[in-house]
Amino acid sequence: MIASCLIPLTVCLIAAVITTGTDRRTLDGIPAPIAAIIGVFSLIWFVAACALPIKLGLVLVVLVWGKAYVQNIMLRLG
């Protein structure tokens, strides 16, 4: 169970590092879109494979982080 969750999460994190670290103006930028696509699919695989408490925890983290991020933007604008 743990390995089935860690493999797609690891692939997703590696794909994110490749995507953000690749120069997009040269031919070296070709792996960036491929890594992004692989990262999205592995993230979907991770969410499908992980247990319900992990999914609920991820939703809670996204909601709390999103609320804090939106409040920070609103304070800067106002």
Side-chain angles (χ1 to χ4, degrees):
M1 179 69 181
I2 298 291
S4 66
C5 289
L6 288 179
I7 292 170
L9 182 62
T10 305
V11 171
C12 181
L13 293 176
I14 291 171
V17 168
I18 291 171
T19 301
T20 57
T22 305
D23 186 18
R24 291 173 183 82
R25 292 174 293 204
T26 63
L27 288 177
D28 293 336
I30 292 173
I34 296 170
I37 292 168
I38 291 171
V40 168
F41 282 123
S42 63
L43 186 62
I44 292 169
W45 177 24
F46 170 71
V47 171
C50 69
L52 184 62
I54 296 172
K55 290 178 188 178
L56 293 175
L58 288 172
V59 168
L60 184 65
V61 166
V62 168
L63 288 175
V64 168
W65 180 76
K67 183 175 169 79
Y69 184 70
V70 169
Q71 282 183 345
N72 190 12
I73 290 174
M74 295 304 270
L75 287 174
R76 288 183 186 176
L77 292 177

